[in-house]
Amino acid sequence: MSKKIKLVTEKVRREKKTKKRLLIVLILLLLLLLLLYLATGIIYNKGNFSITLDKNLYYTRGLVVYDNPEDKTYKSELFAEEPNHFTNVSHRWLPDDLDNSNGGSHNGDSYLAYTFFVENTGEEIADYWSEVVIYDVIQNVDDALRIRIYRNGEYVTYAKLGSDGVAEPDTVPFQEDDLVVRNHVESFKPGDLDKYTIVIWIEGSDPECTDYLVGGEFKFYMDFNSEYVEK
């Protein structure tokens, strides 16, 4: 009889240990999911588009980026505000004066527009590399995206190649799947100022602008570096 009781007791003990282990595993999984959720939230709370400046451009060459001409203090990163919503629009609906902003976000109905400046506040001639990078896309929404980059009044509109491998009308294809464009600015003299305006929208006339893109999201950033960096 005592042997039977002992066996039952050991079985209960094993079951308790198993339940305890399962509970610990469940708690760890929940913590992991919470961390992933918080990390994703932090990323997406930064908006669709950000600008980063290599600290070497400031500390060794005196270059700064800013979106408020009244505040030219060094910032390593700038963030564009998100539009209230992103729905497909036609490029024909965009205003003609998008590059006339004094700086900062000036979004419109269903498009992002952001103006900022790069200035050489140093004492020597410098140069810099810039690149626009796609670092997160959900539901292939970039298939119908347009990214227009103004520099000192001149602009180029970029888009992914169409599904037929042909450039979309009035656009320049992305240089790579995750790289929109890379540029090298040379002989940037003390006092020189480059004005940039970034406009991002979903082009309704794109054949790949379909209901399959509903719920999609995207993230871009623009880097300013002191030298070419191989990705």
Side-chain angles (χ1 to χ4, degrees):
M1 184 71 177
S2 61
K3 185 177 181 180
K4 182 177 181 181
I5 292 173
K6 183 178 180 181
L7 289 173
V8 170
T9 303
E10 289 178 353
K11 181 180 179 182
V12 170
R13 189 181 295 114
R14 285 197 301 271
E15 288 177 349
K16 286 183 177 180
K17 286 184 178 180
T18 301
K19 289 179 179 178
K20 187 176 181 180
R21 291 193 189 101
L22 289 173
L23 181 61
I24 292 172
V25 170
L26 180 61
I27 291 172
L28 290 174
L29 287 173
L30 288 173
L31 287 173
L32 178 61
L33 289 172
L34 179 60
L35 289 172
L36 289 173
Y37 173 79
L38 291 174
T40 303
I42 290 171
I43 291 172
Y44 277 92
N45 282 335
K46 288 186 175 182
N48 299 99
F49 184 74
S50 62
I51 296 98
T52 58
L53 176 74
D54 176 3
K55 62 182 180 181
N56 289 326
L57 283 175
Y58 173 70
Y59 287 112
T60 66
R61 308 185 190 186
L63 269 64
V64 293
V65 294
Y66 54 87
D67 57 12
N68 179 1
E70 302 300 320
D71 180 12
K72 299 182 181 181
T73 55
Y74 167 67
K75 298 178 183 66
S76 62
E77 199 164 14
L78 301 173
F79 298 101
E81 295 178 6
E82 295 184 16
N84 292 329
H85 53 83
F86 261 112
T87 55
N88 59 291
V89 296
S90 169
H91 63 280
R92 299 181 183 88
W93 302 349
L94 297 177
D96 295 328
D97 60 351
L98 283 170
D99 191 43
N100 289 343
S101 169
N102 292 325
S105 293
H106 46 104
N107 302 329
D109 188 17
S110 297
Y111 66 84
L112 180 151
Y114 182 73
T115 296
F116 65 98
F117 307 86
V118 180
E119 184 174 351
N120 186 346
T121 63
E123 299 178 353
E124 298 180 4
I125 296 174
D127 62 349
Y128 66 83
W129 291 87
S130 69
E131 58 182 14
V132 178
V133 178
I134 306 168
Y135 72 93
D136 195 18
V137 173
I138 296 175
Q139 214 138 317
N140 296 322
V141 70
D142 57 331
D143 286 348
L145 273 180
R146 298 291 185 270
I147 301 167
R148 179 173 293 177
I149 302 176
Y150 291 81
R151 177 173 174 255
N152 300 328
E154 302 292 327
Y155 74 80
V156 179
T157 303
Y158 299 91
K160 285 182 68 173
L161 286 173
S163 56
D164 56 1
V166 176
E168 300 291 353
D170 302 316
T171 71
V172 172
F174 291 175
Q175 288 190 6
E176 300 173 19
D177 287 343
D178 59 352
L179 176 66
V180 176
V181 63
R182 180 185 290 119
N183 286 313
H184 186 201
V185 175
E186 299 180 271
S187 300
F188 199 54
K189 303 178 186 66
D192 279 357
L193 179 70
D194 277 345
K195 179 181 181 180
Y196 287 90
T197 295
I198 310 297
V199 184
I200 304 175
W201 74 96
I202 299 172
E203 178 55 52
S205 66
D206 192 310
E208 286 157 280
C209 183
T210 66
D211 289 343
Y212 291 107
L213 304 186
V214 174
E217 296 186 49
F218 62 90
K219 297 289 171 184
F220 290 80
Y221 66 82
M222 189 171 186
D223 257 350
F224 290 90
N225 298 305
S226 58
E227 58 187 15
Y228 170 68
V229 179
E230 183 75 33
K231 297 296 181 183

